[in-house]
Amino acid sequence: MGSWPYRQDVTYALRNEEGGYHHVGMRGNNKQRIYLSDDDRDLFLLMLDRRAAKFDWHVLAYALMRNHYHLVVRIGDLGLARGMCELNTGYAITFNATYGRSNHLFGRRYWSDPSTSSEHLKSVVRYVLQNPRRAGASGPLESHRWTSYRASVGLDFGLARFARDELLGLFGPNPATAVRAFREFCEEPASEPGSGGSGHVGWQSPARDAHGSVT
């Protein structure tokens, strides 16, 4: 009688659920698009807002790209994993129902990296907000609608849980001077921060709409 071939169980590393700041990201399955319209992005931000309120997240930065997203959040005692599961699953179900799809929307599990210093946190925020620029989008940072940069500098309202004061507090005690320092900092070249392994969302080739804009 032949023996069964050896099968090694695949296990995942435990998530870092400690309170503090985390750089979080998720990518579409096979790098496919996860947003097909502005309505999709609005829906995602609404779902993010609700999960943030439920799980006591404070959002310092976000960037919604064509086939992946980045978040910088401060989490509390309720952790990160349950909220991310609800966010990604809820959005994927709605997206598939809207477009008549049945396949997986997202690829591997989300990845996350904690920030252990204010300097690293600031660098992560800058890296996230410069994503459209690295993808080939032109124009100043405030021209990219689907990042939190405009809300950070006071040109738009942010999410209900958008922690603008907390973010600007990293750049100075006075709001006006903090905004100026934040703008100057975000214009400096951003190196890629430490990543969470092979699941890290790196640069993705841009998709362009009929007007040549990066989406």
Side-chain angles (χ1 to χ4, degrees), residues 183-198:
R183 282 182 173 272
E184 293 173 356
F185 180 81
C186 286
E187 288 300 327
E188 297 173 4
S191 59
E192 185 169 333
S195 68
S198 60

Side-chain angles (χ1 to χ4, degrees), residues 15 17 51 54-55 57 77-90 110:
R15 293 296 191 190
E17 293 285 294
R51 298 290 80 72
K54 179 177 180 180
F55 291 98
W57 297 348
D77 294 338
L78 297 178
L80 186 63
R82 287 173 54 207
M84 288 297 293
C85 180
E86 288 191 12
L87 173 63
N88 290 330
T89 300
Y110 75 88

Side-chain angles (χ1 to χ4, degrees), residues 142-213:
E142 57 262 35
S143 68
H144 307 315
R145 178 181 174 188
W146 299 109
T147 77
S148 57
Y149 183 87
R150 290 181 57 82
S152 299
V153 298
L155 298 177
D156 274 339
F157 291 107
L159 302 171
R161 300 288 287 188
F162 182 65
R164 180 175 185 259
D165 291 343
E166 188 171 342
L167 170 64
L168 293 180
L170 298 169
F171 295 88
N174 179 277
T177 56
V179 168
R180 186 159 54 249
F182 174 78
R183 282 182 173 272
E184 293 173 356
F185 180 81
C186 286
E187 288 300 327
E188 297 173 4
S191 59
E192 185 169 333
S195 68
S198 60
H200 176 65
V201 178
W203 182 85
Q204 305 290 310
S205 58
R208 296 181 181 274
D209 62 20
H211 305 287
S213 299

Side-chain angles (χ1 to χ4, degrees), residues 22 30 44 46 57 76 95-96 99 111 120 122 134 141 145 147 157 159 172-173 180 194 212:
H22 291 254
N30 292 321
F44 180 86
L46 176 61
W57 297 348
F95 183 93
N96 283 350
Y99 296 106
W111 56 264
H120 181 261
K122 289 161 62 176
R134 282 192 301 277
L141 292 176
R145 178 181 174 188
T147 77
F157 291 107
L159 302 171
R180 186 159 54 249

Side-chain angles (χ1 to χ4, degrees), residues 15-22 73-80 114 116:
R15 293 296 191 190
N16 185 328
E17 293 285 294
E18 294 182 4
Y21 297 102
H22 291 254
V73 298
R74 176 167 60 84
I75 65 173
D77 294 338
L78 297 178
L80 186 63
T116 56

